[in-house]
């Protein structure tokens, strides 16, 4: 809020409401934060579920940098449902389709890796397939992890043993 005085007898009050842009989760607590990472209010688990969830110590302080990072890859921005601030140095992004993307540390390296991933996804449609984890922390290579294969259902074996078609002895 801003209060100013207009002479001779007027006070002007301007109120700017902060809008929540994410939910910050840390140490079992959930808080709504604005675009600048300022905590607006604590909320219960599951409240604000339409907002992305940021995990990690001080993740709120890096919310502006994360928003700038995602603005560089607009094709992927709408797919991101959450992010984890890892080791106070880098981001892991979570997508609607369940995959995780590990980005390298450093704003420039992370931006380059995210743009590279956006290109790869645009060409090969990586999201929404049998891949669950993408690791772009090594600038020379991209590592992908597939979802574990489901084991085939075994036919139930009968404990009755062989059938006896003859007379009992």
């Amino acid at each position: 809020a801003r209060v100013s005085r207009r002479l001779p007898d007027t006070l002007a009050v301007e109120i700017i409401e902060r809008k929540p842009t994410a939910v910050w989760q840390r140490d079992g607590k959930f808080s709504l934060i604005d675009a600048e990472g300022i905590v607006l209010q604590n909320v219960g688990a599951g409240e604000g579920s339409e907002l992305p969830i940021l995990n990690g110590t001080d993740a709120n302080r890096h919310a502006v940098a994360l928003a700038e990072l995602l603005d560089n890859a607009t094709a992927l921005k709408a797919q991101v449902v959450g992010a984890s601030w890892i080791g106070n140095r880098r981001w892991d992004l979570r997508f609607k389709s369940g995959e995780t993307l590990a980005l390298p540390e450093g704003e420039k390296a992370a931006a380059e890796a995210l743009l590279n991933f956006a290109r790869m996804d645009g060409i090969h449609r990586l999201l929404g397939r049998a891949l669950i984890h993408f690791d772009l922390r090594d600038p020379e290579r991209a590592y992908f992890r597939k979802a574990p294969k489901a084991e085939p259902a075994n036919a139930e074996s009968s404990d009755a043993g062989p059938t006896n078609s003859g007379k009992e002895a």
Side-chain angles (χ1 to χ4, degrees):
R2 254 188 271 183
V3 179
S4 60
R5 189 173 125 191
R6 292 188 187 145
L7 296 174
D9 57 356
T10 304
L11 285 178
V13 179
E14 180 183 1
I15 298 174
I16 300 171
E17 184 178 353
R18 294 184 179 270
K19 295 183 178 143
T21 58
V23 176
W24 176 34
Q25 177 185 0
R26 80 281 179 215
D27 301 327
K29 296 182 201 172
F30 296 86
S31 302
L32 293 176
I33 61 171
D34 69 359
E36 297 172 5
I38 295 172
V39 174
L40 303 177
Q41 72 180 45
N42 292 331
V43 294
E47 290 183 55
S49 60
E50 70 282 353
L51 298 172
I53 297 175
L54 304 184
N55 292 310
T57 304
D58 292 335
N60 66 319
R61 292 185 185 174
H62 301 278
V64 172
L66 176 63
E68 290 171 1
L69 178 69
L70 293 174
D71 284 343
N72 291 328
T74 54
L76 295 176
K77 185 176 183 176
Q79 299 298 318
V80 175
V81 295
S84 295
W85 181 239
I86 308 294
N88 204 27
R89 67 183 193 282
R90 64 173 198 82
W91 288 104
D92 277 359
L93 304 179
R94 287 181 313 284
F95 296 97
K96 287 179 184 177
S97 48
E99 300 90 350
T100 302
L101 171 62
L103 295 172
E105 59 184 283
E107 289 180 21
K108 184 178 178 186
E112 289 173 3
L114 186 59
L115 283 174
N116 189 29
F117 181 77
R119 280 189 218 106
M120 288 188 294
D121 183 55
I123 295 168
H124 303 290
R125 295 288 175 220
L126 299 174
L127 295 174
R129 299 179 90 186
L131 302 171
I132 58 170
H133 188 83
F134 306 98
D135 191 336
L136 300 182
R137 292 178 290 170
D138 183 348
E140 303 296 320
R141 293 199 162 110
Y143 296 94
F144 304 137
R145 186 180 318 144
K146 286 186 168 186
K149 289 185 178 181
E151 292 187 26
N154 293 335
E156 289 188 26
S157 60
S158 172
D159 289 336
T163 58
N164 188 2
S165 59
K167 293 183 179 180
E168 291 185 344

